[in-house]
Amino acid sequence: MKSELSKLIELQKADNRLRQLKNNLETAETRRAELEDEFEKHASSIREIQTRLSDAKEAKVKLETGISEAKTGLERAARNLKTAQDTKQYEAAMREIDSLNRQVSNFETEVLEQMETIDETSAVLEERADEVENLESDWEEQLSEFNTTLSEDASELEELTAKRQSVFQELPDRLAAVYDRLVSRSRDGIAVAEVINGSCSACFMSLRKQVVVELKTTNEIITCESCTRILYVAEDESKEASAVS
Ligand SMILES: [Zn+2]
């Protein structure tokens, strides 16, 4: 049969886990929203590059159309120049040629700029091709993992709550009351504290050697002289100690 102390330890471990599970479930919606935000930021950074690329391609096509229209205009102006009947017609044709040449040259500069953007954005998308391709499926996987963990937490909470109840009921009333009082008194909900390196792990008070020896060799309920929590030494440590003694 289990000692009272080991029941108390089990109860404390169950309560610690239950607190963690409740916290997981309570913060689930916030955590999900954070994940969605992160995904959205990520997706929009990729969309932004894709948009820059398609805008640049579109602009390049328009500029090229503009260039070929201007060149048609230049041919027309050149014909007008040849057939000019007077100075006025001649000068008008010259002016048009000048202006169309400037336009072609401006358009060509702009085409180069758009080509630079196309090269840059294509290179980035190429580099991030895997990421771009798997964006949606990675996200769905992440979301489904999140939901799985959440439902696992919910069922663990349910099972552990029942188990905790039965452990608690096995305790003598006197100890159950002590446990409840200690839990309600402490902010961290710790009533049963492990002894680590000879100190109470809840209040960090160094314990007298005699107390540690008693803890290792008996199953008595011993409390911390400083914080009054119930103390215990982890199993492997007390086994080692009894093997040595
Ligand atoms: Zn203590």
Side-chain angles (χ1 to χ4, degrees):
M1 193 178 145
K2 275 187 183 167
S3 69
E4 288 174 346
L5 182 60
S6 61
K7 281 178 196 162
L8 281 167
I9 296 168
E10 194 180 351
L11 186 63
Q12 182 69 68
K13 284 184 176 162
D15 278 349
N16 292 350
R17 180 66 183 149
L18 284 171
R19 209 165 39 239
Q20 195 179 25
L21 289 167
K22 277 178 198 159
N23 182 56
N24 287 354
L25 294 167
E26 275 163 16
T27 58
E29 285 318 304
T30 318
R31 287 184 294 126
R32 191 201 303 274
E34 279 166 5
L35 284 178
E36 277 166 0
D37 268 5
E38 211 176 290
F39 166 74
E40 198 38 56
K41 263 187 219 154
H42 193 175
S44 75
S45 85
I46 289 171
R47 272 202 302 274
E48 196 248 345
I49 301 165
Q50 288 169 329
T51 307
R52 275 179 60 208
L53 174 60
S54 63
D55 285 355
K57 282 182 176 169
E58 208 177 298
K60 183 170 166 272
V61 169
K62 274 189 193 155
L63 288 163
E64 282 164 350
T65 309
I67 290 171
S68 81
E69 280 168 6
K71 284 187 172 163
T72 310
L74 274 171
E75 283 164 18
R76 194 181 52 233
R79 278 194 306 273
N80 290 345
L81 192 65
K82 271 188 204 159
T83 58
Q85 303 291 320
D86 52 35
T87 321
K88 206 177 154 197
Q89 280 180 4
Y90 181 85
E91 281 174 353
M94 281 303 284
R95 271 198 305 275
E96 202 182 0
I97 288 170
D98 275 352
S99 134
L100 287 168
N101 274 328
R102 268 197 307 277
Q103 204 174 54
V104 168
S105 146
N106 287 342
F107 281 169
E108 279 170 350
T109 308
E110 283 179 53
V111 165
L112 288 178
E113 284 167 9
Q114 297 302 337
M115 280 167 75
E116 238 173 76
T117 307
I118 291 169
D119 285 351
E120 272 170 31
T121 49
S122 302
V124 174
L125 289 172
E126 175 83 15
E127 208 176 288
R128 293 172 69 174
D130 281 351
E131 190 190 333
V132 174
E133 200 194 336
N134 300 322
L135 187 67
E136 286 294 328
S137 58
D138 282 354
W139 165 240
E140 269 154 32
E141 203 178 305
Q142 203 184 356
L143 202 59
S144 111
E145 251 172 55
F146 181 86
N147 289 334
T148 307
T149 308
L150 209 59
S151 74
E152 281 168 0
D153 283 354
S155 44
E156 191 186 344
L157 181 75
E158 199 178 322
E159 281 165 33
L160 194 56
T161 303
K163 197 174 155 217
R164 188 257 180 219
Q165 232 16 59
S166 76
V167 175
F168 189 75
Q169 276 158 7
E170 283 174 25
L171 280 178
D173 289 350
R174 142 192 84 83
L175 272 183
V178 170
Y179 182 88
D180 272 347
R181 186 171 51 79
L182 285 169
V183 164
S184 65
R185 225 186 45 181
S186 74
R187 248 187 308 145
D188 53 11
I190 303 290
V192 184
E194 190 181 343
V195 174
I196 297 172
N197 296 328
S199 298
C200 166
S201 63
C203 74
F204 305 110
M205 175 62 78
S206 219
L207 305 166
R208 285 185 295 116
K209 277 223 165 66
Q210 181 55 33
V211 174
V212 180
V213 170
E214 264 179 71
L215 278 165
K216 285 179 178 175
T217 50
T218 70
N219 266 327
E220 294 300 302
I221 306 294
I222 297 170
T223 56
C224 173
E225 285 170 4
S226 164
C227 70
T228 76
R229 287 183 177 88
I230 297 157
L231 295 171
Y232 75 98
V233 175
E235 206 135 274
D236 345 333
E237 214 180 310
S238 62
K239 262 186 210 137
E240 270 167 43
S242 38
V244 170
S245 58

